[in-house]
Amino acid sequence: MWTLVAFLIAAILGVPIVLGFSRRTAQQPGEYPWLLDEVSKLHVAIVGGLAGFAFTGVVLVVTIVRDTANRAELDTVILMFLVAFLYWVGAAFLISYVPHAALSGDFVQRAHFSLATTIEYRTVFLSWFALVPLLQVNGFGRLIPILYFLLPASLLLGSLLLAMATDGLGLLRIRETYVSAAVASTLTLAYYAIVAWFVPAARSPYSAQYLTLVIFAVNGLGFGFAALTSLAPRYERVRHFYERYGRSLVVTDMQLTILSLVFLWLAVVNAV
């Protein structure tokens, strides 16, 4: 529970910092290097396959190790894969409904695509981080040190792709993405230092479960804001809202994304 409180405090501190930094530069829509309608179709196929992966992970755990695994680890891996499965399906629907730029406005389409892509990014790493408790419950803990390198490296490489996408859409410059990452990492590591040096009793085997629910909630907020873009052609106020506040939504979404994933990583390796 302390990890959940720490995440909320870090979000309250971090979001205003990155919003303040982002106000120094304006959005730069311009031309983007993709056909978003075509890219959205490709995303549906990709996330559909990943949904099958998440569901298969749940089935394997439940059928093979349910009677022998540590209860906390078993609950963690099942919860992580279930939440990933739900949002793989949700992301497939969401990205398939990317609004038409000519009807909704070009910026509304960009905001929808960016929010949907970030949901996919969070869900990718939720399911990948679930590999750590998955190996634990299957008795392959000796392989986990390999993931200590592979998964953070993948997170860093994935952030390059995410930063490229938001920059290409003209919503968030690459440097702003990495300022957000620096703020999120600093706040998260500050909490880790407090736990490690001063309050070791705050470390909990259920931290990963709490943070999985955090990602469920963050994905839910992102899903809601992205889904509402479909109302832009019918309601002028909706279109105006996204044109005025869409960039702030993307900045906030990016900060919560990095913050939740860094917290989750520390939780799955039992650091917090």
Side-chain angles (χ1 to χ4, degrees), residues 77 80 127-137 140-141 144 147-148 151 265 268-270:
V77 70
M80 292 176 75
S127 57
W128 286 7
F129 288 175
L131 295 175
V132 174
L134 179 63
L135 289 178
Q136 291 172 335
V137 299
F140 291 101
I144 291 177
L147 297 182
Y148 288 171
L151 291 180
W265 172 245
V268 296
V269 298
N270 299 315

Side-chain angles (χ1 to χ4, degrees), residues 28-59:
Q28 301 176 358
E31 296 292 332
Y32 45 78
W34 311 286
L35 295 174
L36 293 189
D37 295 335
E38 295 300 320
V39 173
S40 298
K41 295 176 183 178
L42 298 175
H43 277 234
V44 172
I46 293 170
V47 298
L50 291 171
F53 161 74
F55 187 76
T56 301
V58 173
V59 172

Side-chain angles (χ1 to χ4, degrees), residues 202-217:
R203 186 180 291 113
S204 170
Y206 301 102
S207 293
Q209 295 180 32
Y210 292 130
L211 290 165
T212 298
L213 296 177
V214 165
I215 290 179
F216 178 89

Side-chain angles (χ1 to χ4, degrees), residues 2-268:
W2 285 111
T3 304
L4 179 57
V5 173
F7 173 84
L8 294 174
I9 294 173
I12 292 171
L13 294 175
V15 169
I17 293 173
V18 296
L19 284 174
F21 182 82
S22 69
R23 292 193 181 99
R24 299 180 182 180
T25 56
Q27 61 197 35
Q28 301 176 358
E31 296 292 332
Y32 45 78
W34 311 286
L35 295 174
L36 293 189
D37 295 335
E38 295 300 320
V39 173
S40 298
K41 295 176 183 178
L42 298 175
H43 277 234
V44 172
I46 293 170
V47 298
L50 291 171
F53 161 74
F55 187 76
T56 301
V58 173
V59 172
L60 288 175
V61 170
V62 171
T63 56
I64 296 175
V65 298
R66 61 181 178 181
D67 295 325
T68 59
N70 176 279
R71 180 58 57 184
E73 293 173 352
L74 180 62
D75 291 347
T76 297
V77 70
I78 291 176
L79 181 62
M80 292 176 75
F81 275 126
L82 282 177
V83 171
F85 173 74
L86 291 174
Y87 275 108
W88 283 134
V89 176
F93 280 106
L94 186 64
I95 199 71
S96 68
Y97 280 97
V98 62
H100 197 290
L103 299 176
S104 301
D106 178 66
F107 190 79
V108 174
Q109 185 189 55
R110 294 170 191 250
H112 177 104
F113 188 84
S114 178
L115 292 171
T117 301
T118 312
I119 290 175
E120 294 177 19
Y121 178 76
R122 283 190 296 267
T123 308
V124 163
F125 284 99
L126 175 62
S127 57
W128 286 7
F129 288 175
L131 295 175
V132 174
L134 179 63
L135 289 178
Q136 291 172 335
V137 299
N138 282 281
F140 291 101
R142 63 184 180 277
L143 299 177
I144 291 177
I146 298 175
L147 297 182
Y148 288 171
F149 168 76
L150 294 180
L151 291 180
S154 299
L155 185 64
L156 179 61
L157 292 175
S159 70
L160 291 174
L161 185 63
L162 189 63
M164 175 272 296
T166 54
D167 192 298
L169 291 170
L171 299 174
L172 194 64
R173 309 303 292 176
I174 288 179
R175 66 176 178 271
E176 293 173 320
T177 298
Y178 285 100
V179 167
S180 180
V183 171
S185 298
T186 299
L187 292 170
T188 308
L189 292 176
Y191 173 67
Y192 166 68
I194 292 171
V195 171
W197 295 340
F198 303 107
V199 196
R203 186 180 291 113
S204 170
Y206 301 102
S207 293
Q209 295 180 32
Y210 292 130
L211 290 165
T212 298
L213 296 177
V214 165
I215 290 179
F216 178 89
V218 173
N219 275 1
L221 289 173
F223 187 96
F225 279 113
L228 288 174
T229 59
S230 61
L231 299 177
R234 296 176 60 87
Y235 300 97
E236 181 65 21
R237 289 184 179 180
V238 173
R239 185 176 65 82
H240 179 69
F241 171 83
Y242 284 96
E243 289 177 348
R244 182 173 182 179
Y245 299 109
R247 176 169 155 80
S248 295
L249 283 175
V250 171
V251 171
T252 301
D253 188 53
M254 182 67 72
Q255 175 66 12
L256 294 178
T257 294
I258 300 172
L259 191 63
S260 60
L261 290 178
V262 177
F263 260 94
L264 182 61
W265 172 245
L266 291 179
V268 296

